[in-house]
Amino acid sequence: MPAPLNAQGVFTICPTPFDDALRVDTESIKSLVDFLLDTGITGLAILGFLGELHKLSNAERQLVTETFIKHTNGRVPVWVGVRAHGITGAIEQAQEAQDAGADAVFAAPLDNASDALLFDYYKAVADAIKIPVVIHDFPDSFGTEIRPEVVARLAKEGGVHMIKMEEPPVGPKISRIRELAGDEAMKIFGGLGGMFFLEELQRGAVGTMTGFAYPEVLVEIYNRYASGDHIGAAAVFDRYCPLIRYEFQPKLGLALRKYVYQQRGAIRSNAIRSPGMRIDALTTKELEATIARVGLSPTAKGRQTVIA
């Protein structure tokens, strides 16, 4: 079984770029990688819910994985999402990610699985590969709740030592997992668009694993908090909270992020495959007004200055 990663910081959940004809855009994958690394993120996470994994063919999934990993070229870790209807399919996806050079996989749970089945599922995936497995705990999207007791058992008996925890209220669940599993056996990452990033850090999370089109903001919050400047981290969080909140809108979050990434020059098109909501002109104006209100630019290229 793989040993726990010494992972922490900001892992950006990447969208999958398409061109205007809805084909996978490998050149935009490369420019997105370069853009994100310039913001100071710790790692990349691809083919998550934001990455439209469920809208890709198997060949496209492999192409996206290989392009991200090859272009990143070891500059930061790349974690690859796994989502399947059964254990065999999940193992296959995990092994393909490992063979492509992934540093870890983050696996969505099986639909409506019992505690016993969830344990068997994650343990089977961990046993089948040599890279770490991260639990993706997002019941609002996946429909399956992963209880802290299952997480702790996986840490102690299942060879799984990291979780991306996105079940509100996040604070009590983070505390319960830490109580049952211990900090060394189970590292906890937050998510949910960064909406509770400050509270997650205060509860003992080691970082966040989420999509946000201004990742330099999350990097600044994390760096200040990790250095002991908790007041400064809170000030940065409070300043940019209106944008974090606006961007993490149910059903619209992906469209908002792709629009900003396109405007910032990270990708060439903001195309989204169906099913998926698009943003209208009024929403675009609202988004740009929110960006301006927190002191950022929707069109400036490269890493922007983040202030408290």
Side-chain angles (χ1 to χ4, degrees):
M1 293 182 184
L5 278 178
N6 186 25
Q8 57 189 12
V10 177
F11 279 68
T12 292
I13 296 279
C14 303
T16 296
F18 302 116
D19 63 21
D20 290 338
L22 297 178
R23 296 168 300 205
V24 171
D25 183 352
T26 55
E27 290 305 309
S28 283
I29 289 176
K30 296 172 186 177
S31 59
L32 178 61
V33 168
D34 294 337
F35 171 89
L36 290 171
L37 293 186
D38 185 55
T39 67
I41 51 99
T42 305
L44 302 173
I46 65 172
L47 297 180
F49 198 76
L50 180 68
E52 299 180 80
L53 169 62
H54 53 301
K55 305 175 190 176
L56 301 176
S57 69
N58 287 339
E60 288 175 326
R61 175 170 51 80
Q62 293 176 32
L63 174 63
V64 169
T65 300
E66 291 167 0
T67 305
F68 266 106
I69 291 172
K70 183 176 180 180
H71 191 71
T72 302
N73 195 29
R75 289 178 285 175
V76 297
V78 179
W79 296 357
V80 178
V82 167
R83 188 180 184 190
H85 293 296
I87 294 176
T88 301
I91 288 174
E92 179 181 61
Q93 290 182 24
Q95 289 175 335
E96 288 175 352
Q98 176 179 262
D99 291 345
D103 297 282
V105 297
F106 57 104
L110 300 178
D111 293 343
N112 301 310
S114 65
D115 288 356
L117 179 54
L118 284 171
F119 176 83
D120 290 345
Y121 163 67
Y122 280 106
K123 184 178 186 304
V125 176
D127 286 345
I129 58 177
K130 297 179 180 179
I131 58 176
V133 174
V134 184
I135 302 165
H136 190 179
D137 180 20
F138 195 3
D140 283 353
S141 288
F142 300 136
T144 301
E145 180 182 352
I146 307 174
R147 298 193 308 119
E149 290 76 11
V150 176
V151 177
R153 186 183 173 204
L154 283 165
K156 295 174 181 178
E157 305 171 25
V160 179
H161 302 287
M162 290 188 288
I163 182 171
K164 179 190 179 187
M165 208 290 292
E166 300 187 281
E167 182 183 0
V170 296
K173 189 166 184 178
I174 289 174
S175 294
R176 183 60 173 160
I177 291 171
R178 293 181 66 201
E179 176 188 351
L180 293 173
D183 291 339
E184 293 304 315
M186 181 60 66
K187 295 185 180 298
I188 303 169
F189 283 81
L192 296 173
M195 289 220 310
F196 305 102
F197 189 26
L198 182 65
E199 291 80 11
E200 290 161 352
L201 292 172
Q202 291 170 342
R203 288 277 187 153
V206 299
T208 189
M209 184 178 168
T210 193
F212 182 54
Y214 290 88
E216 56 264 55
V217 171
L218 303 180
V219 170
E220 184 69 17
I221 294 168
Y222 175 79
N223 287 344
R224 290 191 182 219
Y225 196 90
S227 70
D229 181 14
H230 296 179
I231 293 175
V236 175
F237 179 79
D238 291 344
R239 178 183 179 93
Y240 296 99
C241 226
L243 178 57
I244 293 171
R245 175 196 65 85
Y246 190 88
E247 198 196 82
F248 192 66
Q249 291 188 61
K251 301 181 181 180
L252 272 183
L254 174 60
L256 294 170
R257 287 170 185 159
K258 279 196 166 182
Y259 174 79
V260 175
Y261 277 132
Q262 180 193 36
Q263 294 300 301
R264 298 188 72 189
I267 59 178
R268 294 187 289 195
S269 171
N270 62 358
I272 296 172
R273 284 186 176 176
S274 296
M277 289 186 67
R278 280 71 172 172
I279 55 176
D280 57 24
L282 182 55
T283 301
T284 300
K285 290 182 179 179
E286 290 174 349
L287 171 62
E288 292 179 347
T290 304
I291 293 169
R293 194 164 86 238
V294 300
L296 296 170
S297 167
T299 57
K301 305 301 188 287
R303 183 174 183 170
Q304 296 191 35
T305 301
V306 178
I307 60 177

